[in-house]
PDB file of all heavy atoms in Angstrom:
ATOM      1  N   ASP T1454      -5.171 -70.161   1.780  1.00  0.00           N
ATOM      2  CA  ASP T1454      -5.161 -71.258   0.818  1.00  0.00           C
ATOM      3  C   ASP T1454      -6.263 -72.243   1.124  1.00  0.00           C
ATOM      4  O   ASP T1454      -6.840 -72.241   2.208  1.00  0.00           O
ATOM      5  CB  ASP T1454      -3.807 -71.975   0.769  1.00  0.00           C
ATOM      6  CG  ASP T1454      -3.329 -72.437   2.118  1.00  0.00           C
ATOM      7  OD1 ASP T1454      -4.135 -72.968   2.903  1.00  0.00           O
ATOM      8  OD2 ASP T1454      -2.138 -72.268   2.402  1.00  0.00           O
ATOM      9  N   GLU T1455      -6.566 -73.034   0.149  1.00  0.00           N
ATOM     10  CA  GLU T1455      -7.502 -74.141   0.286  1.00  0.00           C
ATOM     11  C   GLU T1455      -6.932 -75.280  -0.537  1.00  0.00           C
ATOM     12  O   GLU T1455      -6.877 -75.203  -1.765  1.00  0.00           O
ATOM     13  CB  GLU T1455      -8.886 -73.760  -0.235  1.00  0.00           C
ATOM     14  CG  GLU T1455      -9.891 -74.888  -0.095  1.00  0.00           C
ATOM     15  CD  GLU T1455     -11.250 -74.508  -0.654  1.00  0.00           C
ATOM     16  OE1 GLU T1455     -11.812 -73.504  -0.181  1.00  0.00           O
ATOM     17  OE2 GLU T1455     -11.719 -75.203  -1.568  1.00  0.00           O
ATOM     18  N   VAL T1456      -6.472 -76.312   0.137  1.00  0.00           N
ATOM     19  CA  VAL T1456      -5.864 -77.446  -0.540  1.00  0.00           C
ATOM     20  C   VAL T1456      -6.666 -78.695  -0.186  1.00  0.00           C
ATOM     21  O   VAL T1456      -6.972 -78.932   0.986  1.00  0.00           O
ATOM     22  CB  VAL T1456      -4.381 -77.614  -0.142  1.00  0.00           C
ATOM     23  CG1 VAL T1456      -3.776 -78.835  -0.796  1.00  0.00           C
ATOM     24  CG2 VAL T1456      -3.601 -76.360  -0.501  1.00  0.00           C
ATOM     25  N   ARG T1457      -6.996 -79.466  -1.199  1.00  0.00           N
ATOM     26  CA  ARG T1457      -7.738 -80.719  -1.017  1.00  0.00           C
ATOM     27  C   ARG T1457      -6.758 -81.879  -1.153  1.00  0.00           C
ATOM     28  O   ARG T1457      -6.417 -82.272  -2.269  1.00  0.00           O
ATOM     29  CB  ARG T1457      -8.845 -80.819  -2.052  1.00  0.00           C
ATOM     30  CG  ARG T1457      -9.878 -79.713  -1.927  1.00  0.00           C
ATOM     31  CD  ARG T1457     -10.837 -79.703  -3.126  1.00  0.00           C
ATOM     32  NE  ARG T1457     -11.298 -78.367  -3.385  1.00  0.00           N
ATOM     33  CZ  ARG T1457     -10.696 -77.475  -4.154  1.00  0.00           C
ATOM     34  NH1 ARG T1457      -9.586 -77.768  -4.766  1.00  0.00           N
ATOM     35  NH2 ARG T1457     -11.192 -76.275  -4.328  1.00  0.00           N
ATOM     36  N   PRO T1458      -6.285 -82.426  -0.037  1.00  0.00           N
ATOM     37  CA  PRO T1458      -5.276 -83.491  -0.103  1.00  0.00           C
ATOM     38  C   PRO T1458      -5.715 -84.708  -0.916  1.00  0.00           C
ATOM     39  O   PRO T1458      -4.903 -85.313  -1.606  1.00  0.00           O
ATOM     40  CB  PRO T1458      -5.039 -83.866   1.354  1.00  0.00           C
ATOM     41  CG  PRO T1458      -5.460 -82.668   2.129  1.00  0.00           C
ATOM     42  CD  PRO T1458      -6.588 -82.059   1.347  1.00  0.00           C
ATOM     43  N   ALA T1459      -6.989 -85.062  -0.846  1.00  0.00           N
ATOM     44  CA  ALA T1459      -7.447 -86.265  -1.547  1.00  0.00           C
ATOM     45  C   ALA T1459      -7.272 -86.157  -3.060  1.00  0.00           C
ATOM     46  O   ALA T1459      -7.001 -87.149  -3.732  1.00  0.00           O
ATOM     47  CB  ALA T1459      -8.902 -86.543  -1.202  1.00  0.00           C
ATOM     48  N   THR T1460      -7.416 -84.941  -3.588  1.00  0.00           N
ATOM     49  CA  THR T1460      -7.292 -84.759  -5.035  1.00  0.00           C
ATOM     50  C   THR T1460      -6.039 -83.980  -5.423  1.00  0.00           C
ATOM     51  O   THR T1460      -5.764 -83.810  -6.609  1.00  0.00           O
ATOM     52  CB  THR T1460      -8.517 -84.003  -5.592  1.00  0.00           C
ATOM     53  OG1 THR T1460      -8.601 -82.713  -4.960  1.00  0.00           O
ATOM     54  CG2 THR T1460      -9.801 -84.778  -5.349  1.00  0.00           C
ATOM     55  N   ALA T1461      -5.298 -83.501  -4.438  1.00  0.00           N
ATOM     56  CA  ALA T1461      -4.102 -82.683  -4.669  1.00  0.00           C
ATOM     57  C   ALA T1461      -4.417 -81.463  -5.520  1.00  0.00           C
ATOM     58  O   ALA T1461      -3.630 -81.045  -6.363  1.00  0.00           O
ATOM     59  CB  ALA T1461      -2.986 -83.515  -5.300  1.00  0.00           C
ATOM     60  N   THR T1462      -5.583 -80.884  -5.293  1.00  0.00           N
ATOM     61  CA  THR T1462      -5.969 -79.670  -6.002  1.00  0.00           C
ATOM     62  C   THR T1462      -6.285 -78.586  -4.976  1.00  0.00           C
ATOM     63  O   THR T1462      -6.408 -78.842  -3.785  1.00  0.00           O
ATOM     64  CB  THR T1462      -7.206 -79.900  -6.893  1.00  0.00           C
ATOM     65  OG1 THR T1462      -8.287 -80.337  -6.070  1.00  0.00           O
ATOM     66  CG2 THR T1462      -6.922 -80.940  -7.975  1.00  0.00           C
ATOM     67  N   GLY T1463      -6.446 -77.361  -5.442  1.00  0.00           N
ATOM     68  CA  GLY T1463      -6.789 -76.249  -4.562  1.00  0.00           C
ATOM     69  C   GLY T1463      -6.221 -74.961  -5.093  1.00  0.00           C
ATOM     70  O   GLY T1463      -5.992 -74.811  -6.297  1.00  0.00           O
ATOM     71  N   TRP T1464      -5.954 -74.033  -4.193  1.00  0.00           N
ATOM     72  CA  TRP T1464      -5.427 -72.733  -4.586  1.00  0.00           C
ATOM     73  C   TRP T1464      -4.707 -72.092  -3.407  1.00  0.00           C
ATOM     74  O   TRP T1464      -4.873 -72.480  -2.272  1.00  0.00           O
ATOM     75  CB  TRP T1464      -6.539 -71.823  -5.107  1.00  0.00           C
ATOM     76  CG  TRP T1464      -7.707 -71.679  -4.176  1.00  0.00           C
ATOM     77  CD1 TRP T1464      -8.856 -72.404  -4.169  1.00  0.00           C
ATOM     78  CD2 TRP T1464      -7.835 -70.752  -3.083  1.00  0.00           C
ATOM     79  NE1 TRP T1464      -9.686 -71.993  -3.145  1.00  0.00           N
ATOM     80  CE2 TRP T1464      -9.088 -70.979  -2.466  1.00  0.00           C
ATOM     81  CE3 TRP T1464      -7.017 -69.755  -2.570  1.00  0.00           C
ATOM     82  CZ2 TRP T1464      -9.529 -70.241  -1.381  1.00  0.00           C
ATOM     83  CZ3 TRP T1464      -7.470 -69.031  -1.473  1.00  0.00           C
ATOM     84  CH2 TRP T1464      -8.711 -69.272  -0.903  1.00  0.00           C
ATOM     85  N   THR T1465      -3.930 -71.085  -3.712  1.00  0.00           N
ATOM     86  CA  THR T1465      -3.218 -70.309  -2.710  1.00  0.00           C
ATOM     87  C   THR T1465      -3.185 -68.855  -3.165  1.00  0.00           C
ATOM     88  O   THR T1465      -3.009 -68.577  -4.348  1.00  0.00           O
ATOM     89  CB  THR T1465      -1.793 -70.860  -2.479  1.00  0.00           C
ATOM     90  OG1 THR T1465      -1.130 -70.049  -1.524  1.00  0.00           O
ATOM     91  CG2 THR T1465      -0.983 -70.920  -3.747  1.00  0.00           C
ATOM     92  N   VAL T1466      -3.414 -67.935  -2.232  1.00  0.00           N
ATOM     93  CA  VAL T1466      -3.447 -66.499  -2.537  1.00  0.00           C
ATOM     94  C   VAL T1466      -2.637 -65.749  -1.488  1.00  0.00           C
ATOM     95  O   VAL T1466      -2.732 -66.041  -0.296  1.00  0.00           O
ATOM     96  CB  VAL T1466      -4.898 -65.958  -2.563  1.00  0.00           C
ATOM     97  CG1 VAL T1466      -4.927 -64.440  -2.625  1.00  0.00           C
ATOM     98  CG2 VAL T1466      -5.675 -66.555  -3.717  1.00  0.00           C
ATOM     99  N   THR T1467      -1.864 -64.786  -1.946  1.00  0.00           N
ATOM    100  CA  THR T1467      -1.104 -63.917  -1.049  1.00  0.00           C
ATOM    101  C   THR T1467      -1.376 -62.468  -1.435  1.00  0.00           C
ATOM    102  O   THR T1467      -1.279 -62.112  -2.609  1.00  0.00           O
ATOM    103  CB  THR T1467       0.404 -64.203  -1.161  1.00  0.00           C
ATOM    104  OG1 THR T1467       0.618 -65.584  -0.857  1.00  0.00           O
ATOM    105  CG2 THR T1467       1.203 -63.348  -0.198  1.00  0.00           C
ATOM    106  N   VAL T1468      -1.747 -61.654  -0.438  1.00  0.00           N
ATOM    107  CA  VAL T1468      -1.920 -60.216  -0.661  1.00  0.00           C
ATOM    108  C   VAL T1468      -0.966 -59.479   0.273  1.00  0.00           C
ATOM    109  O   VAL T1468      -0.636 -59.967   1.346  1.00  0.00           O
ATOM    110  CB  VAL T1468      -3.374 -59.739  -0.425  1.00  0.00           C
ATOM    111  CG1 VAL T1468      -4.321 -60.329  -1.449  1.00  0.00           C
ATOM    112  CG2 VAL T1468      -3.851 -60.055   0.975  1.00  0.00           C
ATOM    113  N   ALA T1469      -0.529 -58.324  -0.167  1.00  0.00           N
ATOM    114  CA  ALA T1469       0.369 -57.508   0.650  1.00  0.00           C
ATOM    115  C   ALA T1469       0.003 -56.049   0.463  1.00  0.00           C
ATOM    116  O   ALA T1469      -0.438 -55.639  -0.612  1.00  0.00           O
ATOM    117  CB  ALA T1469       1.823 -57.747   0.250  1.00  0.00           C
ATOM    118  N   GLY T1470       0.198 -55.276   1.523  1.00  0.00           N
ATOM    119  CA  GLY T1470      -0.079 -53.853   1.421  1.00  0.00           C
ATOM    120  C   GLY T1470      -0.064 -53.165   2.768  1.00  0.00           C
ATOM    121  O   GLY T1470       0.286 -53.747   3.793  1.00  0.00           O
ATOM    122  N   ARG T1471      -0.487 -51.909   2.709  1.00  0.00           N
ATOM    123  CA  ARG T1471      -0.545 -51.087   3.917  1.00  0.00           C
ATOM    124  C   ARG T1471      -1.613 -51.638   4.858  1.00  0.00           C
ATOM    125  O   ARG T1471      -2.642 -52.135   4.417  1.00  0.00           O
ATOM    126  CB  ARG T1471      -0.898 -49.650   3.558  1.00  0.00           C
ATOM    127  CG  ARG T1471       0.144 -48.935   2.734  1.00  0.00           C
ATOM    128  CD  ARG T1471      -0.333 -47.550   2.271  1.00  0.00           C
ATOM    129  NE  ARG T1471      -1.406 -47.706   1.283  1.00  0.00           N
ATOM    130  CZ  ARG T1471      -2.664 -47.343   1.481  1.00  0.00           C
ATOM    131  NH1 ARG T1471      -3.035 -46.745   2.603  1.00  0.00           N
ATOM    132  NH2 ARG T1471      -3.582 -47.540   0.568  1.00  0.00           N
ATOM    133  N   VAL T1472      -1.347 -51.516   6.150  1.00  0.00           N
ATOM    134  CA  VAL T1472      -2.283 -52.042   7.135  1.00  0.00           C
ATOM    135  C   VAL T1472      -2.451 -51.031   8.263  1.00  0.00           C
ATOM    136  O   VAL T1472      -1.533 -50.268   8.566  1.00  0.00           O
ATOM    137  CB  VAL T1472      -1.797 -53.410   7.686  1.00  0.00           C
ATOM    138  CG1 VAL T1472      -0.555 -53.257   8.523  1.00  0.00           C
ATOM    139  CG2 VAL T1472      -2.875 -54.115   8.463  1.00  0.00           C
ATOM    140  N   GLY T1473      -3.629 -51.016   8.834  1.00  0.00           N
ATOM    141  CA  GLY T1473      -3.890 -50.163   9.982  1.00  0.00           C
ATOM    142  C   GLY T1473      -4.680 -50.932  11.022  1.00  0.00           C
ATOM    143  O   GLY T1473      -5.475 -51.814  10.691  1.00  0.00           O
ATOM    144  N   VAL T1474      -4.454 -50.602  12.269  1.00  0.00           N
ATOM    145  CA  VAL T1474      -5.184 -51.221  13.367  1.00  0.00           C
ATOM    146  C   VAL T1474      -6.525 -50.509  13.505  1.00  0.00           C
ATOM    147  O   VAL T1474      -6.590 -49.278  13.509  1.00  0.00           O
ATOM    148  CB  VAL T1474      -4.380 -51.141  14.679  1.00  0.00           C
ATOM    149  CG1 VAL T1474      -5.181 -51.685  15.851  1.00  0.00           C
ATOM    150  CG2 VAL T1474      -3.054 -51.878  14.536  1.00  0.00           C
ATOM    151  N   ILE T1475      -7.594 -51.268  13.608  1.00  0.00           N
ATOM    152  CA  ILE T1475      -8.936 -50.699  13.774  1.00  0.00           C
ATOM    153  C   ILE T1475      -9.138 -50.399  15.259  1.00  0.00           C
ATOM    154  O   ILE T1475      -9.041 -51.299  16.098  1.00  0.00           O
ATOM    155  CB  ILE T1475     -10.012 -51.672  13.261  1.00  0.00           C
ATOM    156  CG1 ILE T1475      -9.805 -51.904  11.756  1.00  0.00           C
ATOM    157  CG2 ILE T1475     -11.415 -51.144  13.553  1.00  0.00           C
ATOM    158  CD1 ILE T1475     -10.688 -52.991  11.160  1.00  0.00           C
ATOM    159  N   THR T1476      -9.405 -49.136  15.581  1.00  0.00           N
ATOM    160  CA  THR T1476      -9.542 -48.727  16.977  1.00  0.00           C
ATOM    161  C   THR T1476     -10.891 -48.084  17.302  1.00  0.00           C
ATOM    162  O   THR T1476     -11.247 -47.968  18.474  1.00  0.00           O
ATOM    163  CB  THR T1476      -8.418 -47.741  17.365  1.00  0.00           C
ATOM    164  OG1 THR T1476      -8.486 -46.606  16.493  1.00  0.00           O
ATOM    165  CG2 THR T1476      -7.051 -48.408  17.272  1.00  0.00           C
ATOM    166  N   ASP T1477     -11.646 -47.633  16.295  1.00  0.00           N
ATOM    167  CA  ASP T1477     -12.941 -47.010  16.544  1.00  0.00           C
ATOM    168  C   ASP T1477     -13.848 -48.016  17.258  1.00  0.00           C
ATOM    169  O   ASP T1477     -14.056 -49.125  16.755  1.00  0.00           O
ATOM    170  CB  ASP T1477     -13.575 -46.572  15.226  1.00  0.00           C
ATOM    171  CG  ASP T1477     -14.961 -46.018  15.438  1.00  0.00           C
ATOM    172  OD1 ASP T1477     -15.074 -44.876  15.910  1.00  0.00           O
ATOM    173  OD2 ASP T1477     -15.941 -46.759  15.153  1.00  0.00           O
ATOM    174  N   PRO T1478     -14.388 -47.673  18.431  1.00  0.00           N
ATOM    175  CA  PRO T1478     -15.175 -48.635  19.221  1.00  0.00           C
ATOM    176  C   PRO T1478     -16.359 -49.249  18.471  1.00  0.00           C
ATOM    177  O   PRO T1478     -16.629 -50.442  18.599  1.00  0.00           O
ATOM    178  CB  PRO T1478     -15.651 -47.827  20.425  1.00  0.00           C
ATOM    179  CG  PRO T1478     -14.701 -46.678  20.522  1.00  0.00           C
ATOM    180  CD  PRO T1478     -14.247 -46.391  19.123  1.00  0.00           C
ATOM    181  N   ASP T1479     -17.073 -48.442  17.677  1.00  0.00           N
ATOM    182  CA  ASP T1479     -18.209 -48.976  16.922  1.00  0.00           C
ATOM    183  C   ASP T1479     -17.747 -49.957  15.849  1.00  0.00           C
ATOM    184  O   ASP T1479     -18.362 -51.007  15.643  1.00  0.00           O
ATOM    185  CB  ASP T1479     -19.024 -47.842  16.291  1.00  0.00           C
ATOM    186  CG  ASP T1479     -19.734 -46.990  17.330  1.00  0.00           C
ATOM    187  OD1 ASP T1479     -20.065 -47.529  18.411  1.00  0.00           O
ATOM    188  OD2 ASP T1479     -19.957 -45.799  17.057  1.00  0.00           O
ATOM    189  N   GLU T1480     -16.671 -49.604  15.156  1.00  0.00           N
ATOM    190  CA  GLU T1480     -16.153 -50.486  14.117  1.00  0.00           C
ATOM    191  C   GLU T1480     -15.562 -51.764  14.732  1.00  0.00           C
ATOM    192  O   GLU T1480     -15.726 -52.854  14.203  1.00  0.00           O
ATOM    193  CB  GLU T1480     -15.099 -49.766  13.275  1.00  0.00           C
ATOM    194  CG  GLU T1480     -14.732 -50.533  12.031  1.00  0.00           C
ATOM    195  CD  GLU T1480     -13.836 -49.757  11.081  1.00  0.00           C
ATOM    196  OE1 GLU T1480     -13.411 -48.633  11.407  1.00  0.00           O
ATOM    197  OE2 GLU T1480     -13.554 -50.305  10.007  1.00  0.00           O
ATOM    198  N   VAL T1481     -14.905 -51.627  15.883  1.00  0.00           N
ATOM    199  CA  VAL T1481     -14.368 -52.801  16.582  1.00  0.00           C
ATOM    200  C   VAL T1481     -15.510 -53.745  16.948  1.00  0.00           C
ATOM    201  O   VAL T1481     -15.441 -54.956  16.707  1.00  0.00           O
ATOM    202  CB  VAL T1481     -13.568 -52.385  17.840  1.00  0.00           C
ATOM    203  CG1 VAL T1481     -13.307 -53.582  18.743  1.00  0.00           C
ATOM    204  CG2 VAL T1481     -12.260 -51.720  17.438  1.00  0.00           C
ATOM    205  N   ALA T1482     -16.593 -53.210  17.512  1.00  0.00           N
ATOM    206  CA  ALA T1482     -17.737 -54.037  17.906  1.00  0.00           C
ATOM    207  C   ALA T1482     -18.334 -54.737  16.688  1.00  0.00           C
ATOM    208  O   ALA T1482     -18.649 -55.933  16.743  1.00  0.00           O
ATOM    209  CB  ALA T1482     -18.790 -53.182  18.609  1.00  0.00           C
ATOM    210  N   HIS T1483     -18.481 -54.021  15.583  1.00  0.00           N
ATOM    211  CA  HIS T1483     -19.013 -54.614  14.352  1.00  0.00           C
ATOM    212  C   HIS T1483     -18.097 -55.733  13.858  1.00  0.00           C
ATOM    213  O   HIS T1483     -18.571 -56.825  13.519  1.00  0.00           O
ATOM    214  CB  HIS T1483     -19.180 -53.546  13.271  1.00  0.00           C
ATOM    215  CG  HIS T1483     -19.502 -54.116  11.939  1.00  0.00           C
ATOM    216  ND1 HIS T1483     -20.744 -54.605  11.631  1.00  0.00           N
ATOM    217  CD2 HIS T1483     -18.726 -54.308  10.840  1.00  0.00           C
ATOM    218  CE1 HIS T1483     -20.736 -55.069  10.394  1.00  0.00           C
ATOM    219  NE2 HIS T1483     -19.524 -54.898   9.894  1.00  0.00           N
TER     220      HIS T1483
END
């Protein structure tokens, strides 16, 4: 989310789904 208290405006986003842990050493380094 990004909320601007001074103006009481902003946005909020929620995503959900399948997840995997990244383990490939090159991809981890990147």
Side-chain angles (χ1 to χ4, degrees):
D1454 53 43
E1455 181 182 302
V1456 177
R1457 298 170 210 88
T1460 60
T1462 59
W1464 53 267
T1465 178
V1466 170
T1467 302
V1468 294
R1471 295 174 291 113
V1472 68
V1474 175
I1475 298 172
T1476 58
D1477 176 76
D1479 292 331
E1480 191 172 4
V1481 166
H1483 171 75

